[in-house]
Amino acid sequence: MTINSPNNDKLAALGGTPVFSTRPSMPWPPTDEETRRAVAEAYSSGIWSWTGPWEKKSCAKLAEVHSARHALLMVNGTVTLEAALHVLGVGPGDEVIVPALTWIATAMAVVYVGAKPVFVDVEPDTLCLDPELVAEAITPRTKAIIPVHLYGGMANMDRLMALAHKHGLKVIEDCAHAQGGEWDGRGLGSIGDVGSFSFQQSKTVSAGEGGGVITNDDELAERLFRFKHIGYSSSGVQGKAASGPPEGLVCHNYRATEFQGAVLYNQLCRLPTLTEARNRNADFLTNLLEQIPGVRVQARGLKATPGRQSYYNFMVLIDSEFWMGATRDQILPALAREGVPVNPTYGTVHRHVLWNLPASEYRIHGEYRDKLGQSCKISEEIGTARAIGFLHFYLDLPLPDLARIAEAFVKVHRNAPDLGKVRW
Ligand SMILES: *Cc1c(COP(=O)(O)O)cnc(C)c1O
């Protein structure tokens, strides 16, 4: 299939007719009658928290979809990372490898347990941790790795797990973007020791706020439960603990409510089908976009199960050289004026002031910085100059609208020499 010729050649940003006469909109978060009834039922039942029936059903579904034995809900996808680090014994003096390109929560959770985040660059195609560089960054103090399955990519779990085994490291998969994803037939989050999910408003599965952890390890599951449940162990019975907190255990109240369980259930049931449909639409759009010079789409996971690449953003990478030198920061607003619902990517987390103050105890590990000569170049480039994305739910647009997105890229590409004339 080839791309339609754009409607007229004058950029909307310079007064031309936009490719979309109205900006496409998709309803998000999703709502349906069954879920409305579930929430009302939870409300009337008087069971509002503490291992209620909807929480249990959603946990079972979360585990099933991601091939794990256990799943637990918590208040958000930041404390799930903290909980995972804590129960895996990560603490003061330890280093934890995290990607430089991610949401800040991945690194911040490391700080919560008193450990030091060590930032490692990403691969230029998947935008996920580069295993080669991870190997270089491992020191005797390294205790864990947190691969993030970013936007619509997957970290190379085979190579990262091999490194972890070789060096005796724990692996926490940050699956905040990876709901429904499968690597080589296995649910993401179930390959490392613990998988951590976010159900924040914009995420692929949402409860407004919320988080989930999955694990195949019975003992870790029990520790995770105690950690979020102020030390009490799970009896499986609503409102009843099997035993109280053991002495000396640091623990939190990170319990989610029954309402979050009720809101999540149907979304989790639909997730595999939704993911497959989005994979088909992403294929369609990728095929169109990659006909444009200087346009690449973020690569799917090397061993993504067909139809089970998860998407949080559909991420397009621009090479300015093929755009007459036009920059991402000119191209992105020009696309927005054509009606494409675009957004830039996260900034690079390794630049965050917390770990860059000269006196900060969280400062980037010096040795590592010296070894590379410069820090995290790919993340820097992607974050500041190359990435243009749109959120997952736009992949549900009808194909003619997706084709129009490609058309808008062609139009802006053709008019690249004019981008310098636009006053934003
Ligand atoms: C959203 C997100 C989190 C944190 O989730 P919250 O539920 O917002 O606390 C963690 N990691 C990544 C990569 C995220 O995008």
Side-chain angles (χ1 to χ4, degrees):
M1 165 142 188
T2 53
I3 308 174
N4 291 336
S5 232
N7 54 359
N8 80 24
D9 245 0
K10 193 165 180 194
L11 289 172
L14 288 170
T17 312
V19 171
F20 287 95
S21 47
T22 48
R23 208 176 134 100
S25 74
M26 293 302 289
W28 193 264
T31 54
D32 64 67
E33 273 317 306
E34 237 177 306
T35 304
R36 216 183 299 278
R37 278 198 300 275
V39 175
E41 191 188 293
Y43 181 65
S44 305
S45 75
I47 299 169
W48 288 5
S49 185
W50 198 351
T51 329
W54 285 107
E55 183 181 349
K56 274 187 168 168
K57 278 173 71 159
S58 280
C59 285
K61 231 350 141 193
L62 181 66
E64 180 199 315
V65 171
H66 301 94
S67 21
R69 277 169 64 81
H70 304 278
L72 302 172
L73 294 192
M74 296 191 204
V75 290
N76 61 55
T78 304
V79 301
T80 48
L81 290 167
E82 179 195 354
L85 287 160
H86 184 90
V87 301
L88 289 167
V90 180
D94 294 333
E95 292 176 357
V96 178
I97 292 174
V98 300
L101 190 70
T102 178
W103 175 236
I104 186 172
T106 315
M108 206 53 90
V110 176
V111 172
Y112 296 162
V113 298
K116 189 196 281 188
V118 171
F119 297 94
V120 168
D121 212 354
V122 298
E123 299 175 316
D125 49 356
T126 64
L127 310 189
C128 295
L129 267 183
D130 184 330
E132 207 85 46
L133 299 176
V134 170
E136 278 181 41
I138 293 170
T139 75
R141 288 177 297 276
T142 309
K143 187 79 184 249
I145 309 173
I146 311 185
V148 180
H149 304 299
L150 196 75
Y151 303 133
M154 289 181 191
N156 188 326
M157 290 312 292
D158 291 8
R159 295 196 51 201
L160 292 172
M161 291 311 290
L163 275 175
H165 286 137
K166 183 171 164 203
H167 297 275
L169 308 177
K170 304 296 184 189
V171 175
I172 299 163
E173 293 175 72
D174 185 343
C175 300
H177 299 187
Q179 291 85 345
E182 253 187 37
W183 170 271
D184 204 10
R186 292 172 71 186
L188 288 180
S190 72
I191 303 166
D193 296 279
V194 179
S196 165
F197 293 81
S198 164
F199 305 124
Q200 177 266 340
Q201 170 101 17
S202 71
K203 298 289 159 69
T204 315
V205 171
S206 171
E209 298 289 347
V213 283
I214 61 173
T215 183
N216 286 317
D217 184 309
D218 299 351
E219 202 190 308
L220 278 180
E222 175 70 9
R223 291 224 287 276
L224 285 161
F225 186 92
R226 280 188 188 271
F227 185 79
K228 71 137 184 177
H229 201 70
I230 199 74
Y232 286 83
S233 71
S234 167
S235 72
V237 180
Q238 198 279 321
K240 287 215 163 52
S243 63
E247 255 178 70
L249 177 76
V250 176
C251 45
H252 297 264
N253 172 10
Y254 285 160
R255 286 188 297 266
T257 66
E258 186 67 352
F259 303 111
Q260 285 154 304
V263 170
L264 289 172
Y265 182 68
N266 250 356
Q267 293 181 67
L268 289 167
C269 292
R270 286 193 300 256
L271 187 55
T273 320
L274 179 81
T275 309
E276 277 171 30
R278 287 180 174 178
N279 277 228
R280 281 194 297 276
N281 283 7
D283 279 345
F284 171 82
L285 185 55
T286 301
N287 178 294
L288 292 180
L289 287 171
E290 292 197 336
Q291 296 173 34
I292 307 168
V295 173
R296 277 273 156 280
V297 170
Q298 177 184 9
R300 284 185 180 164
L302 192 66
K303 288 195 181 171
T305 303
R308 292 294 291 271
Q309 173 65 54
S310 41
Y311 282 95
Y312 173 53
N313 267 252
F314 183 87
M315 208 40 96
V316 180
L317 306 174
I318 297 294
D319 184 344
S320 279
E321 233 185 88
F322 295 88
W323 288 70
M324 313 285 286
T327 65
R328 192 270 312 260
D329 292 344
Q330 294 172 321
I331 297 165
L332 188 143
L335 286 166
R337 292 286 182 90
E338 299 297 336
V340 184
V342 279
N343 55 262
T345 166
Y346 298 138
T348 43
V349 176
H350 68 295
R351 292 280 177 206
H352 192 279
V353 70
L354 182 61
W355 26 80
N356 283 288
L357 293 172
S360 171
E361 59 183 299
Y362 305 116
R363 209 158 65 84
I364 298 176
H365 186 232
E367 248 175 82
Y368 173 59
R369 241 195 174 170
D370 289 344
K371 227 188 275 177
L372 280 190
Q374 53 188 318
S375 85
C376 306
K377 189 167 156 279
I378 305 289
S379 301
E380 199 89 52
E381 250 179 50
I382 300 288
T384 62
R386 296 203 52 205
I388 295 177
F390 53 83
L391 280 162
H392 54 94
F393 45 85
Y394 292 113
L395 284 174
D396 301 338
L397 284 169
L399 295 186
D401 278 341
L402 293 176
R404 222 160 281 140
I405 290 179
E407 198 179 311
F409 271 84
V410 168
K411 183 174 170 187
V412 175
H413 183 262
R414 244 186 231 169
N415 287 278
D418 284 347
L419 285 169
K421 295 185 205 153
V422 182
R423 301 219 174 287
W424 301 109

